[in-house]
Amino acid sequence: MLWDLRNKERNEAAAAAAAVSDAGQLIPTKVLRKFLASLTSRESPVLMDLGPVVGSNVTFLGERLGCKIILEDLFADVERYPKGSETPLHEYLKTRLKHMPESVDGILCWNLFDFLDLPSAQVLASALTKILRTDGALLSFFATIGSTDARFSKYVILGDDSVRQRPYSTTGRKQNALPNRDIIRMFEGLKVAESFLLKNNVREFLFRKIPQTQ
Amino acid sequence: MWKRDEAVRQPAQPAVPTNEAAATAPAAAAQPVRQDTYRSQNARDVVNIGKSVVIKGELNGSEDLTIEGHVEGKIELRDHVLTIGPNGKIKAELFAKAVVVLGEVIGNVSATEKVDIRENGSVEGDITSPRVAIAEGAHFRGSVDMAQKAKQVSSGPRPAEVKSQPAPQPVMQQPQQAQKVG
């Protein structure tokens, strides 16, 4: 009887593990905790998420921070933007975010920049820098090597230290790997507060906006 | 003979669940199903606006409401639950205790308790509510303001204790070791 129960538990655990692996890749994160901590001290912070809408993230962030979350799914915009359009993507991105300067306390970019060409990445980075409040935080992931896997990902926050990366089907875009030098130059006006290279070859950066007087 | 009479009478009886209802309303026995539906709705205090109904203007109420039709303007059910059914198409500002969306909403949504966007539900507008649930497969475009909850917590009797409580975290694996870059 006890043996049967143990077997049942083992089978259930194996089934649960299989379900987890099907659901996406677990990615440990070092900077999410710091990103959240930087917002916790602020009263009713404003957070911008550039990724696709993930209901559990909204619940997690909202209940954790008591914040206003602006959901701007730029992945969808990038995917829908016609390739070979007369107006290049970076021109479109110049006017895409119509938020007031210094109006957002935190920005989650996920790995959006991996799917942008350098001019578009620069335009978006300067737009984000502009709308970020002084001492605000920006979190972004960058691949270390270019990849043919052109699928976008949803990042599901599991806790302060881990997220689940769930690819979803798209029309496909080349995934670039920006060098550190370009990343730091792109975000002029922000300083690199934390950066880590994870074992899965993802670089994660936490930027903070420095006061203009410095 | 007795058995035959019973067999004839049985189908003629109204299909209402209680004997009391059958005895007191001989006229209602003519439309037993409709009567039954009406009674069960009253019991739950829910009103339905059907698929073919189009309303333009302001809608106020003090009971739960389910909308399957089209509404443009403003809907206010301050202490009740507003449900936008799968066929509901709303272009309005919504104010309610709780809002459940299975259809389409264009406009801002405010709830004092919860906003729940179910699978295939769609909201384009800003949500203000202490609790928000967005299901997988739902469409949402706008912002979510859950600041009310934090305000409520901070105005509670022992804010220091509340603040010091660690946030609930799901069980997770330990992160991989990471190297610090440059």
Side-chain angles (χ1 to χ4, degrees):
Chain A
M1 191 69 179
L2 188 63
W3 176 255
D4 283 348
L5 268 175
R6 280 182 184 161
N7 264 347
K8 193 184 169 190
E9 279 170 8
R10 265 188 219 128
N11 289 340
E12 281 173 359
V20 164
S21 65
D22 287 348
Q25 186 190 0
L26 186 80
I27 296 182
T29 164
K30 289 275 182 184
V31 299
L32 182 61
R33 179 182 288 277
K34 293 171 195 285
F35 176 83
L36 295 172
S38 73
L39 298 174
T40 309
S41 56
R42 296 172 181 239
E43 194 181 342
S44 300
V46 178
L47 180 65
M48 183 182 280
D49 187 345
L50 303 184
V53 179
V54 178
S56 59
N57 286 0
V58 172
T59 307
F60 178 90
L61 295 167
E63 291 189 351
R64 174 73 179 272
L65 303 169
C67 61
K68 179 177 181 178
I69 306 165
I70 301 166
L71 298 163
E72 295 281 6
D73 186 358
L74 289 191
F75 285 85
D77 286 18
V78 170
E79 190 200 350
R80 266 185 258 142
Y81 201 78
K83 288 173 189 171
S85 166
E86 280 184 17
T87 313
L89 180 61
H90 65 264
E91 287 295 328
Y92 165 75
L93 288 174
K94 269 183 191 170
T95 52
R96 170 62 179 79
L97 298 170
K98 295 182 175 72
H99 301 275
M100 295 290 288
E102 300 252 339
S103 60
V104 175
D105 297 288
I107 301 173
L108 289 165
C109 300
W110 306 116
N111 66 343
L112 176 64
F113 285 95
D114 288 348
F115 296 95
L116 299 177
D117 53 65
L118 191 57
S120 302
Q122 281 169 336
V123 165
L124 182 62
S126 60
L128 295 175
T129 303
K130 205 171 164 187
I131 60 176
L132 195 63
R133 278 198 186 122
T134 301
D135 210 31
L138 182 146
L139 182 152
S140 188
F141 296 153
F142 296 92
T144 48
I145 45 169
S147 168
T148 52
D149 184 3
R151 289 177 302 170
F152 292 157
S153 293
K154 286 183 180 182
Y155 288 88
V156 181
I157 300 172
L158 302 178
D160 287 9
D161 302 314
S162 63
V163 294
R164 187 175 302 287
Q165 185 183 13
R166 279 173 33 197
Y168 64 100
S169 59
T170 57
T171 50
R173 264 183 182 266
K174 195 175 159 230
Q175 197 172 344
N176 304 310
L178 294 167
N180 279 0
R181 182 190 61 240
D182 286 350
I183 294 168
I184 292 164
R185 277 185 194 160
M186 267 178 356
F187 289 99
E188 195 185 343
L190 306 186
K191 67 170 183 185
V192 179
E194 299 283 346
S195 68
F196 292 95
L197 174 62
L198 301 177
K199 279 189 171 176
N200 59 0
N201 289 325
V202 170
R203 288 167 293 170
E204 48 177 5
F205 279 79
L206 182 70
F207 293 95
R208 300 296 293 264
K209 188 163 182 178
I210 48 179
Q212 286 178 339
T213 49
Q214 282 186 9
Chain B
M1 281 302 276
W2 181 83
K3 276 184 183 173
R4 196 184 300 160
D5 283 347
E6 275 297 300
V8 171
R9 273 178 205 157
Q10 259 181 344
Q13 285 177 357
V16 287
T18 58
N19 292 334
E20 187 190 323
T24 54
Q31 294 176 323
V33 177
R34 193 183 295 175
Q35 177 79 13
D36 194 31
T37 311
Y38 175 74
R39 192 170 289 127
S40 66
Q41 280 175 358
N42 266 2
R44 284 185 287 128
D45 236 9
V46 177
V47 177
N48 283 310
I49 292 178
K51 270 193 252 186
S52 62
V53 179
V54 178
I55 296 172
K56 289 186 182 182
E58 197 167 319
L59 197 57
N60 284 292
S62 55
E63 55 201 313
D64 294 353
L65 176 66
T66 300
I67 299 175
E68 291 283 358
H70 294 222
V71 177
E72 282 183 31
K74 186 180 175 185
I75 304 171
E76 205 166 332
L77 303 174
R78 289 284 177 189
D79 300 317
H80 295 273
V81 179
L82 172 64
T83 304
I84 312 301
N87 300 302
K89 288 191 177 177
I90 311 296
K91 267 189 187 176
E93 307 281 304
L94 312 183
F95 302 90
K97 186 175 82 172
V99 179
V100 181
V101 181
L102 294 96
E104 287 178 34
V105 175
I106 298 174
N108 298 338
V109 181
S110 291
T112 50
E113 280 190 7
K114 189 178 182 182
V115 173
D116 191 354
I117 309 174
R118 302 275 174 85
E119 193 184 350
N120 298 325
S122 168
V123 174
E124 291 193 10
D126 297 339
I127 294 175
T128 307
S129 174
R131 284 163 67 208
V132 175
I134 303 173
E136 189 82 34
H139 169 77
F140 175 69
R141 195 184 174 110
S143 69
V144 176
D145 193 347
M146 296 168 82
Q148 282 179 341
K149 191 172 187 179
K151 279 173 196 165
Q152 280 168 9
V153 168
S154 63
S155 63
R158 289 182 294 178
E161 274 188 29
V162 173
K163 206 174 179 180
S164 67
Q165 285 175 354
Q169 289 174 23
V171 178
M172 72 194 85
Q173 293 180 12
Q174 285 297 311
Q176 295 173 30
Q177 284 186 344
Q179 293 173 275
K180 191 143 187 176
V181 177

